[in-house]
Amino acid sequence: MAFVNSIFTWLMKKRIHQIELFMKYPHDVQEEWFHNLIDSAENTEWGKLYDYKSILTPQQYQERVPIQNYDTLKPYIERMLNGEQNILWPSDVKWFAKSSGTTSDRSKFIPVSPESLEECHFKGGKDMLSIYCNNRPDNQMFTGKGLVLGGSHQVNQLNEDCFYGDLSAVLIKNLPIWAEYYRTPDMSIALMDNYEIKMDRMAEATINENVTSISGVPTWTIVLAKKVLELTGKQNLLEVWPNLELYIHGAVNFAPYREQFKQLIPSADMYYLETYNASEGFFGIQDQDNSEEMLLMLDYGIFYEFVPMENIGEENPKALLLGEVELHKNYAIVISTNGGLWRYMIGDTIQFTSLSPYRIKITGRTKHFINAFGEEVIIDNAEQALTKACQETGAEIKDYTAGPIYFKDEKAGGHEWIIEFDKQPSDFEKFVDIMDQTLREVNSDYDAKRFKDMALARPKVHNAPANTFYNWLKAKDKLGGQHKVPRLANERKYVDDILDMMKSS
């Protein structure tokens, strides 16, 4: 196995030269991909609609094609789900990555073309390993197996040729046969829908394997780790997997989980590698082991634009090209991809921490949200849940805010709400239950995390006294129409501040 490990490490490191190339010539690489994408799609229905044949520059493209979101592309995607081809992209699109909902949908379905699989997602996976092998030339990762916490896979019944699942499931189903040898557990377990049974089966299937790396969302990784330790009676994961050396994570902010991982994996040599891999594309990889910044990956079939945060909300906001961005300013990402997403605003916001090469950090979403556990609860989800709870209990809400409760010891995480009522609900506990149940109905990711309280517990809701939010804004010198209570936050700053004020009053 040591010889095989050396061969794989050598192969992976060969890609470093190409990565260095786009780091050195970022604008040339982006210009080349722009023309490649436009030329490829000129005979699609979308390409004909906007006359891609006559588009010669990115500036013409920006003038002609409006910025899109899921709702504007949804009619085209629905036709693709029904089997129509050559709509947004020329090659046959048979796979769709299911992700959390937009303001009008419980879930959205992102087309995954053969090109986006190979040139984006799989290439990103290989580069992630290349960067790791380059930074840790003495690694022994390929002497064992990678534990992958996959999603679930379902067949789209609208058309027997179309398949969908969350992104990790789509990738697992399309991996080459040789990759299956280095992954654990097997596909039948990795793609199970029932997460309670799945965690048990994963723990049972992997405790006797030589696991050298783990990849997955921190939320579920912790749940699995606890199952493994419970099953084995061990104190930490290194007692179960002594050769564990790499943890690959993404999707949620890792900072709140870091201390727990240090306890689960008590080794100063453990390597933590963050990736920015969404259903829409693979965007970034943490390329330095002493920094949490991520290298923006520029040769994955994605053409990037960036909308300054102050322009978000405008009908068709001005977007900047890569060469126009500035350091430490918040931008919303707009992408055009080899999966058929055109000037698509994905909803994430980033800051550039370096312009040579281009490195980024994720700063949030274009709207308030809670995504501490991968649940992606947005304002619209919250408003629907509160409206339903009010209707069924006769309540009227004056103001509210919510934030996460992080994992602690053996307790699951959760959401903590502070709600000030104009009219109290007839039954407060019923109000909380209806709110919780409605959130599960309108947001599939929240529903998955709430399954049997495994990752998210029932919401903790405080019934705030009258004028709580008025007094809080007043204390912050933020009374007035331009200042609003933050409805949802992905950290506890507002919740803790208001709770402290409530205790002292």
Side-chain angles (χ1 to χ4, degrees), residues 150-168:
S152 59
H153 169 257
Q154 301 174 51
V155 176
N156 176 10
Q157 297 301 317
L158 292 173
N159 183 287
E160 62 182 16
D161 291 329
C162 291
F163 306 91
Y164 68 82
D166 59 26
L167 178 65
S168 58

Side-chain angles (χ1 to χ4, degrees), residues 98-147:
K98 178 184 175 185
S99 65
S100 58
T102 61
T103 53
S104 60
D105 285 288
R106 188 168 187 260
S107 295
K108 54 186 180 182
F109 297 87
I110 303 300
V112 181
S113 69
E115 290 84 358
S116 61
L117 263 179
E118 290 295 333
E119 297 171 358
C120 184
H121 292 294
F122 287 162
K123 193 173 183 180
K126 293 172 188 173
D127 283 359
M128 175 181 70
L129 298 178
S130 296
I131 287 168
Y132 174 64
C133 291
N134 190 60
N135 290 350
R136 284 278 179 92
D138 58 346
N139 78 85
Q140 297 297 310
M141 182 177 61
F142 298 107
T143 62
K145 292 191 175 185
L147 195 165

